[in-house]
Amino acid sequence: MSERVQLDRIDRRILSALQGDASLSLADLAERVELSRSACGRRLQKLEASEVIRGRVTLLNGPVVGLPLTVFVSVRTSQHNAAWADGFASVVESIPGVLEVYRMAGDIDYLVKAVVADMGDYDRLYQELIQADLLDVSASFVMEEIRYSTAMPL
């Protein structure tokens, strides 16, 4: 886990601007946060080097690219050892459509977020997922996306 980084007001403005539009040019970003290009560039490099910025991506519209169905898969296992966990991580890393995987506290051991084209595509994902020797798998399908954001509150 990375160490917490202290962010000042200008850092927060840079991060807020980039969370809204990661494609901003350095000149546009500097103008938005009211810094010179060189000062803004130095701060941006520092934020990247300290891993405050994990990466810059383009967010796709699932239904438009043929992946209209989001599914949350709850996974329980009877095996709680490093070898099994490594094998599970390898399985989920290799499955197309798996977006996020979390080890959980509580009633379920892992929560998997995935996107699929349809129920047949989910069955393919399920068949690949159970290669990890699971105790229980339960899926919940998203009927309506009410709020979606990747922006962290600063």
Side-chain angles (χ1 to χ4, degrees), residues 23-141:
S23 69
L24 286 172
S25 69
L26 182 57
D28 289 339
L29 180 61
E31 185 177 320
R32 279 200 191 179
V33 300
E34 300 173 339
L35 282 179
S36 69
R37 280 185 58 180
S38 59
C40 187
R42 283 191 301 274
R43 281 181 176 261
L44 192 55
Q45 286 177 338
K46 183 179 171 188
L47 290 167
E48 290 171 337
S50 63
E51 298 180 350
V52 169
I53 297 174
R54 292 170 65 175
R56 299 186 205 186
V57 300
T58 297
L59 301 175
L60 304 182
N61 185 331
V64 173
V65 297
L67 298 166
L69 194 55
T70 300
V71 58
F72 289 90
V73 182
S74 301
V75 172
R76 289 180 41 219
T77 180
S78 60
Q79 301 183 51
H80 298 278
N81 59 68
W84 182 90
D86 290 345
F88 178 72
S90 293
V91 167
V92 294
E93 283 287 333
S94 71
I95 301 174
V98 170
L99 302 178
E100 302 171 30
V101 180
Y102 300 95
R103 187 168 56 91
M104 307 293 288
D107 293 338
I108 62 170
D109 295 311
Y110 295 88
L111 183 63
V112 178
K113 179 182 178 185
V115 291
V116 294
D118 52 32
M119 288 303 290
D121 196 23
Y122 169 71
D123 186 51
R124 175 216 34 98
L125 184 143
Y126 172 82
Q127 295 299 326
E128 292 182 47
L129 188 60
I130 62 173
Q131 298 301 308
D133 190 21
L134 308 174
L135 175 66
D136 184 51
V137 177
S138 176
S140 297
F141 295 89

